Coordinates of all heavy atoms in Angstrom, one line a residue:
M1 N 151.8 34.2 83.2 CA 152.3 33.0 82.5 C 153.8 32.8 82.9 O 154.6 33.6 82.7 CB 152.2 33.3 81.0 CG 152.6 32.1 80.1 SD 152.5 32.6 78.4 CE 151.1 31.6 78.0
L2 N 154.1 31.7 83.5 CA 155.4 31.4 84.0 C 156.4 31.0 82.9 O 157.6 31.4 83.0 CB 155.3 30.2 85.0 CG 155.0 30.5 86.4 CD1 154.3 29.4 87.1 CD2 156.3 30.9 87.1
F3 N 156.0 30.4 81.9 CA 156.9 29.9 80.9 C 157.3 31.0 79.9 O 158.3 30.9 79.2 CB 156.4 28.7 80.2 CG 156.2 27.5 81.1 CD1 154.9 27.1 81.5 CD2 157.3 26.9 81.7 CE1 154.8 26.1 82.4 CE2 157.2 25.8 82.6 CZ 155.9 25.4 82.9
G4 N 156.4 32.0 79.8 CA 156.7 33.1 78.8 C 157.7 34.1 79.3 O 158.4 34.7 78.5
K5 N 157.8 34.3 80.6 CA 158.8 35.3 81.1 C 160.1 34.6 81.4 O 160.2 33.5 82.0 CB 158.3 35.9 82.4 CG 157.1 36.9 82.2 CD 156.7 37.5 83.5 CE 155.6 38.5 83.4 NZ 155.3 39.1 84.7
K6 N 161.2 35.3 81.1 CA 162.5 34.9 81.4 C 163.1 35.8 82.5 O 163.4 36.9 82.2 CB 163.4 34.9 80.2 CG 164.7 34.2 80.4 CD 165.5 34.1 79.1 CE 166.7 33.2 79.3 NZ 167.4 33.0 78.0
T7 N 163.1 35.3 83.7 CA 163.6 36.0 84.8 C 164.9 35.4 85.3 O 165.1 34.2 85.2 CB 162.6 36.1 86.0 OG1 162.4 34.8 86.4 CG2 161.3 36.8 85.5
T8 N 165.8 36.3 85.8 CA 167.0 35.8 86.4 C 167.0 36.1 87.9 O 166.5 37.1 88.3 CB 168.3 36.5 85.8 OG1 168.1 37.9 85.9 CG2 168.4 36.2 84.3
Y9 N 167.6 35.1 88.6 CA 167.6 35.3 90.1 C 168.7 36.2 90.5 O 169.9 36.0 90.0 CB 167.8 33.9 90.7 CG 168.0 33.9 92.2 CD1 166.9 34.2 93.0 CD2 169.2 33.7 92.7 CE1 167.1 34.3 94.4 CE2 169.4 33.8 94.1 CZ 168.4 34.1 94.9 OH 168.6 34.1 96.3
V10 N 168.4 37.1 91.4 CA 169.4 38.0 91.9 C 169.3 37.8 93.5 O 168.2 38.1 94.0 CB 169.3 39.4 91.5 CG1 170.3 40.3 92.1 CG2 169.3 39.5 90.0
S11 N 170.4 37.4 94.1 CA 170.3 37.2 95.6 C 170.2 38.5 96.3 O 170.4 39.6 95.8 CB 171.6 36.5 96.0 OG 172.7 37.3 96.0
E12 N 169.8 38.4 97.5 CA 169.6 39.6 98.4 C 170.9 40.3 98.6 O 171.0 41.5 98.6 CB 169.0 39.2 99.7 CG 167.5 38.8 99.6 CD 167.0 38.4 101.0 OE1 167.6 38.7 102.0 OE2 165.9 37.8 101.0
I13 N 172.0 39.5 98.7 CA 173.3 40.1 98.9 C 173.7 40.9 97.7 O 174.2 42.0 97.8 CB 174.4 39.0 99.2 CG1 174.0 38.2 100.4 CG2 175.7 39.5 99.3 CD1 174.0 38.9 101.7
T14 N 173.5 40.4 96.5 CA 173.8 41.1 95.3 C 173.0 42.3 95.1 O 173.5 43.4 94.8 CB 173.6 40.2 94.1 OG1 174.4 39.0 94.2 CG2 174.0 40.9 92.8
Q15 N 171.7 42.3 95.5 CA 170.9 43.5 95.5 C 171.4 44.5 96.4 O 171.5 45.7 96.1 CB 169.5 43.1 95.8 CG 168.8 42.3 94.8 CD 167.4 41.8 95.2 OE1 166.9 42.1 96.3 NE2 166.7 41.0 94.4
F16 N 171.8 44.1 97.6 CA 172.3 45.0 98.6 C 173.6 45.7 98.1 O 173.8 46.9 98.3 CB 172.6 44.2 99.9 CG 173.4 45.1 101.0 CD1 172.7 46.0 101.7 CD2 174.7 44.8 101.2 CE1 173.4 46.8 102.6 CE2 175.4 45.6 102.1 CZ 174.7 46.6 102.8
I17 N 174.5 44.9 97.6 CA 175.8 45.4 97.1 C 175.5 46.4 95.9 O 176.2 47.5 95.9 CB 176.8 44.3 96.7 CG1 177.2 43.6 97.9 CG2 178.0 44.9 95.9 CD1 178.0 42.3 97.7
D18 N 174.7 46.1 95.0 CA 174.3 47.0 93.9 C 173.7 48.3 94.4 O 174.1 49.4 93.9 CB 173.4 46.3 92.9 CG 174.0 45.2 92.1 OD1 175.3 45.1 92.1 OD2 173.3 44.3 91.6
E19 N 172.9 48.2 95.4 CA 172.2 49.4 96.0 C 173.3 50.2 96.7 O 173.3 51.4 96.6 CB 171.2 48.9 97.0 CG 170.4 50.1 97.6 CD 169.4 49.6 98.6 OE1 168.8 48.5 98.4 OE2 169.1 50.3 99.6
L20 N 174.2 49.6 97.4 CA 175.3 50.3 98.1 C 176.2 51.0 97.1 O 176.6 52.2 97.3 CB 176.1 49.3 98.9 CG 177.1 49.8 99.9 CD1 176.3 50.6 101.0 CD2 177.9 48.6 100.5
K21 N 176.5 50.4 96.0 CA 177.3 51.0 94.9 C 176.6 52.2 94.3 O 177.2 53.2 93.9 CB 177.7 50.0 93.9 CG 178.8 49.0 94.4 CD 179.1 48.0 93.3 CE 180.1 47.0 93.7 NZ 180.4 46.0 92.6
T22 N 175.3 52.1 94.1 CA 174.6 53.2 93.5 C 174.5 54.4 94.5 O 174.5 55.6 94.1 CB 173.2 52.8 93.0 OG1 172.4 52.3 94.1 CG2 173.2 51.8 91.9
K23 N 174.4 54.1 95.8 CA 174.3 55.2 96.8 C 175.7 55.8 96.9 O 175.8 57.1 97.2 CB 173.8 54.6 98.1 CG 172.4 54.3 98.2 CD 172.0 53.8 99.6 CE 170.5 53.5 99.6 NZ 170.2 52.9 101.0
N24 N 176.8 55.1 96.8 CA 178.1 55.6 97.0 C 178.9 55.2 95.8 O 179.6 54.2 95.8 CB 178.7 55.0 98.3 CG 180.0 55.7 98.6 OD1 180.5 56.5 97.9 ND2 180.6 55.2 99.7
P25 N 179.0 56.0 94.8 CA 179.7 55.6 93.5 C 181.2 55.5 93.7 O 181.9 54.9 92.9 CB 179.3 56.7 92.6 CG 178.4 57.7 93.2 CD 178.3 57.2 94.6
K26 N 181.7 56.2 94.7 CA 183.2 56.1 94.9 C 183.6 55.0 95.9 O 184.7 54.9 96.4 CB 183.7 57.4 95.5 CG 183.5 58.6 94.5 CD 184.1 59.8 95.0 CE 184.0 60.9 94.0 NZ 184.7 62.1 94.4
L27 N 182.7 54.0 96.2 CA 183.0 53.0 97.1 C 184.1 52.1 96.6 O 185.1 51.8 97.4 CB 181.7 52.1 97.3 CG 181.9 50.9 98.2 CD1 182.1 51.4 99.6 CD2 180.7 50.0 98.1
E28 N 184.1 51.7 95.4 CA 185.2 50.8 94.9 C 186.5 51.5 94.9 O 187.6 50.9 95.2 CB 184.8 50.3 93.5 CG 183.7 49.3 93.5 CD 183.4 48.7 92.1 OE1 184.4 48.3 91.4 OE2 182.3 48.5 91.8
E29 N 186.5 52.8 94.5 CA 187.7 53.6 94.5 C 188.4 53.6 95.9 O 189.6 53.5 96.1 CB 187.5 55.0 94.0 CG 188.6 55.9 93.9 CD 188.3 57.3 93.4 OE1 187.3 57.4 92.7 OE2 189.0 58.2 93.8
S30 N 187.5 53.9 96.9 CA 188.0 53.9 98.3 C 188.5 52.6 98.8 O 189.4 52.5 99.6 CB 187.0 54.5 99.2 OG 185.9 53.6 99.4
Q31 N 187.8 51.5 98.3 CA 188.3 50.1 98.7 C 189.7 49.9 98.1 O 190.5 49.3 98.8 CB 187.3 49.1 98.2 CG 186.0 49.0 99.0 CD 185.1 48.0 98.4 OE1 185.0 47.8 97.2 NE2 184.3 47.4 99.3
R32 N 189.9 50.3 96.8 CA 191.2 50.1 96.2 C 192.3 50.9 96.9 O 193.4 50.5 97.1 CB 191.1 50.5 94.7 CG 190.4 49.5 93.9 CD 190.6 49.7 92.4 NE 189.8 48.8 91.7 CZ 188.6 49.1 91.2 NH1 188.1 50.3 91.3 NH2 187.9 48.2 90.5
A33 N 191.9 52.1 97.4 CA 192.9 53.0 98.1 C 193.2 52.3 99.4 O 194.4 52.3 99.8 CB 192.3 54.3 98.3
G34 N 192.2 51.7 100.1 CA 192.5 51.0 101.4 C 193.4 49.8 101.2 O 194.3 49.5 101.9
R35 N 193.1 49.1 100.1 CA 193.9 47.9 99.8 C 195.4 48.3 99.5 O 196.3 47.7 100.0 CB 193.4 47.2 98.6 CG 194.2 46.0 98.2 CD 193.9 45.4 96.8 NE 195.0 44.6 96.4 CZ 195.0 43.3 96.3 NH1 193.9 42.6 96.6 NH2 196.0 42.7 95.8
A36 N 195.6 49.4 98.7 CA 196.9 49.9 98.4 C 197.6 50.3 99.7 O 198.8 50.1 99.8 CB 196.8 51.0 97.4
L37 N 196.9 50.9 100.6 CA 197.5 51.3 101.8 C 198.0 50.1 102.7 O 199.1 50.2 103.3 CB 196.5 52.1 102.7 CG 196.9 52.7 104.0 CD1 198.0 53.8 103.8 CD2 195.7 53.3 104.7
L38 N 197.3 49.1 102.7 CA 197.6 47.9 103.6 C 198.4 46.8 102.9 O 199.2 46.2 103.6 CB 196.3 47.4 104.2 CG 195.6 48.3 105.1 CD1 194.2 47.7 105.6 CD2 196.4 48.7 106.3
W39 N 198.1 46.5 101.7 CA 198.6 45.3 101.1 C 199.6 45.5 100.0 O 200.5 44.7 99.8 CB 197.4 44.4 100.6 CG 196.6 43.9 101.7 CD1 195.3 44.5 102.0 CD2 196.9 42.9 102.6 NE1 194.9 43.8 103.1 CE2 195.8 42.8 103.5 CE3 197.9 42.1 102.8 CZ2 195.7 41.9 104.5 CZ3 197.9 41.1 103.8 CH2 196.8 41.1 104.7
D40 N 199.3 46.4 99.1 CA 200.2 46.6 97.9 C 201.5 47.4 98.3 O 201.5 48.6 98.2 CB 199.4 47.4 96.8 CG 198.2 46.6 96.4 OD1 198.2 45.4 96.6 OD2 197.3 47.2 95.8
K41 N 202.4 46.6 98.7 CA 203.7 47.2 99.2 C 204.8 47.1 98.1 O 204.6 46.4 97.1 CB 204.2 46.6 100.5 CG 203.2 46.6 101.6 CD 203.1 48.1 102.1 CE 202.1 48.2 103.2 NZ 202.0 49.5 103.7
E42 N 205.9 47.7 98.4 CA 207.0 47.6 97.4 C 207.5 46.2 97.4 O 207.3 45.4 98.3 CB 208.1 48.6 97.8 CG 208.8 48.3 99.1 CD 208.1 48.8 100.3 OE1 207.2 49.7 100.2 OE2 208.5 48.4 101.4
P43 N 208.3 45.8 96.3 CA 208.8 44.4 96.3 C 209.7 44.1 97.4 O 210.4 45.0 98.0 CB 209.5 44.4 94.9 CG 209.2 45.7 94.2 CD 208.6 46.6 95.2
L44 N 209.8 42.8 97.8 CA 210.6 42.4 98.8 C 212.1 42.5 98.5 O 212.5 42.1 97.3 CB 210.3 40.9 99.2 CG 209.0 40.7 99.9 CD1 208.7 39.3 100.1 CD2 208.8 41.5 101.2
D45 N 213.0 42.8 99.4 CA 214.4 42.8 99.2 C 214.9 41.4 99.7 O 214.9 41.1 100.9 CB 215.1 43.9 100.1 CG 216.6 43.9 99.9 OD1 217.1 43.1 99.1 OD2 217.2 44.7 100.7
L46 N 215.2 40.5 98.7 CA 215.5 39.1 99.1 C 216.8 39.0 99.9 O 216.8 38.1 100.7 CB 215.6 38.3 97.8 CG 214.3 38.2 96.9 CD1 214.6 37.4 95.7 CD2 213.2 37.6 97.7
D47 N 217.7 39.8 99.7 CA 219.0 39.8 100.5 C 218.7 40.1 101.9 O 219.2 39.5 102.9 CB 220.0 40.8 99.9 CG 220.6 40.3 98.6 OD1 220.6 39.1 98.3 OD2 220.9 41.2 97.8
K48 N 217.9 41.2 102.2 CA 217.5 41.5 103.6 C 216.7 40.4 104.2 O 216.9 40.1 105.4 CB 216.7 42.8 103.6 CG 216.3 43.3 105.0 CD 215.5 44.5 104.9 CE 215.1 45.0 106.3 NZ 214.5 44.1 107.1
T49 N 215.8 39.8 103.5 CA 215.0 38.7 104.0 C 215.9 37.5 104.4 O 215.7 36.9 105.4 CB 213.9 38.2 102.9 OG1 213.2 39.4 102.6 CG2 213.0 37.2 103.5
A50 N 216.9 37.2 103.6 CA 217.8 36.1 103.9 C 218.6 36.5 105.1 O 218.8 35.6 105.9 CB 218.7 35.8 102.7
R51 N 219.1 37.7 105.2 CA 219.9 38.1 106.4 C 219.0 38.0 107.7 O 219.5 37.5 108.7 CB 220.4 39.5 106.2 CG 221.5 39.6 105.2 CD 222.2 41.0 105.4 NE 221.3 42.1 105.3 CZ 220.9 42.8 104.2 NH1 221.4 42.4 103.1 NH2 220.1 43.8 104.3
D52 N 217.8 38.5 107.6 CA 216.9 38.4 108.7 C 216.6 37.0 109.2 O 216.6 36.7 110.4 CB 215.5 39.1 108.4 CG 215.7 40.6 108.3 OD1 216.7 41.2 108.7 OD2 214.7 41.2 107.8
K53 N 216.4 36.1 108.2 CA 216.2 34.7 108.5 C 217.4 34.0 109.1 O 217.3 33.3 110.1 CB 215.8 34.0 107.2 CG 215.2 32.6 107.5 CD 214.7 32.0 106.2 CE 214.0 30.7 106.4 NZ 213.5 30.1 105.2
A54 N 218.6 34.4 108.6 CA 219.8 33.8 109.1 C 220.2 34.3 110.5 O 220.8 33.6 111.3 CB 221.0 34.1 108.2
S55 N 219.7 35.5 110.9 CA 220.1 36.1 112.1 C 219.1 35.7 113.3 O 219.4 36.1 114.4 CB 220.2 37.6 112.0 OG 218.9 38.2 111.8
R56 N 218.1 35.0 113.0 CA 217.2 34.6 114.0 C 217.8 33.5 115.0 O 218.5 32.7 114.5 CB 215.9 34.0 113.4 CG 215.0 35.0 112.8 CD 213.7 34.5 112.5 NE 212.8 35.5 111.9 CZ 212.3 35.3 110.7 NH1 212.3 34.2 110.1 NH2 211.5 36.3 110.2
V57 N 217.4 33.6 116.2 CA 217.9 32.7 117.2 C 216.8 31.6 117.3 O 215.6 31.9 117.5 CB 218.1 33.3 118.6 CG1 218.5 32.3 119.6 CG2 219.2 34.4 118.4
A58 N 217.3 30.3 117.2 CA 216.3 29.3 117.3 C 215.6 29.2 118.7 O 216.3 29.4 119.7 CB 217.0 27.9 117.0
Q59 N 214.3 29.0 118.7 CA 213.6 28.9 120.0 C 213.6 27.5 120.5 O 213.6 26.5 119.7 CB 212.1 29.4 119.7 CG 211.3 29.4 121.0 CD 209.9 30.0 120.7 OE1 209.6 30.4 119.6 NE2 209.1 30.0 121.7
Q60 N 213.6 27.4 121.8 CA 213.6 26.1 122.4 C 212.3 25.4 122.1 O 211.2 26.1 122.0 CB 213.8 26.2 123.9 CG 215.0 26.8 124.4 CD 215.0 26.9 125.9 OE1 214.6 26.0 126.6 NE2 215.5 28.0 126.4
P61 N 212.2 24.0 122.1 CA 211.0 23.4 121.9 C 210.0 23.7 123.0 O 208.8 23.8 122.7 CB 211.3 21.9 121.9 CG 212.8 21.8 121.6 CD 213.4 23.1 122.1
Y62 N 210.4 23.8 124.2 CA 209.5 24.1 125.3 C 210.1 25.4 125.9 O 211.1 25.5 126.5 CB 209.5 23.0 126.4 CG 208.5 23.4 127.5 CD1 207.1 23.4 127.2 CD2 208.9 23.6 128.8 CE1 206.2 23.7 128.2 CE2 208.0 23.9 129.8 CZ 206.7 24.0 129.5 OH 205.8 24.3 130.5
V63 N 209.3 26.5 125.7 CA 209.8 27.9 126.0 C 210.2 28.0 127.5 O 211.1 28.7 127.9 CB 208.8 28.9 125.5 CG1 209.3 30.3 125.8 CG2 208.5 28.7 124.1
Y64 N 209.4 27.5 128.4 CA 209.5 27.7 129.8 C 210.5 26.7 130.5 O 210.6 26.8 131.7 CB 208.1 27.6 130.5 CG 207.2 28.6 129.9 CD1 206.1 28.2 129.0 CD2 207.3 30.0 130.1 CE1 205.3 29.1 128.5 CE2 206.4 30.9 129.6 CZ 205.4 30.5 128.8 OH 204.6 31.3 128.2
Q65 N 211.1 25.9 129.7 CA 212.1 25.0 130.3 C 213.4 25.7 130.6 O 213.9 26.5 129.8 CB 212.4 23.9 129.3 CG 213.4 22.8 129.8 CD 213.5 21.7 128.8 OE1 212.8 21.6 127.8 NE2 214.5 20.8 129.1
S66 N 214.0 25.5 131.8 CA 215.3 26.2 132.1 C 216.4 25.3 131.7 O 216.3 24.1 131.5 CB 215.4 26.5 133.6 OG 215.3 25.3 134.3
H67 N 217.6 25.8 131.4 CA 218.7 25.1 131.0 C 219.3 24.3 132.1 O 219.6 24.6 133.1 CB 219.8 26.0 130.4 CG 219.3 26.6 129.1 ND1 219.1 25.9 127.9 CD2 218.8 27.9 128.8 CE1 218.7 26.7 127.0 NE2 218.5 27.9 127.5

């Protein structure tokens, strides 16, 4: 009976991710550790950033043009 059952659709991708998480329970923890390693850095030093920006030499519009 189609109308009697209430089923929810779960995509293949969601099923795959759920299965992956059950096989490796520490997956999310290792993902967070990887993110912290690459992305979560200390706050920017605004004075250093301003000094770096001010000390840059402007590039010519056409790099290979001689003076």
Side-chain angles (χ1 to χ4, degrees):
M1 183 180 253
L2 271 154
F3 298 109
K5 288 185 178 179
K6 189 172 188 178
T7 59
T8 56
Y9 172 74
V10 179
S11 70
E12 291 179 12
I13 300 297
T14 304
Q15 290 174 3
F16 171 76
I17 291 173
D18 290 341
E19 182 180 327
L20 193 63
K21 287 180 182 180
T22 56
K23 286 182 181 177
N24 186 0
K26 295 186 178 186
L27 179 67
E28 289 185 42
E29 181 181 330
S30 65
Q31 286 178 328
R32 286 191 186 98
R35 177 194 162 108
L37 180 68
L38 296 174
W39 295 103
D40 298 338
K41 301 293 180 178
E42 66 276 347
L44 292 175
D45 181 7
L46 297 179
D47 292 330
K48 181 182 180 308
T49 304
R51 286 193 311 269
D52 290 346
K53 191 173 185 179
S55 66
R56 287 195 181 124
V57 177
Q59 185 175 353
Q60 300 177 40
Y62 183 68
V63 181
Y64 301 106
Q65 180 179 353
S66 60
H67 293 286

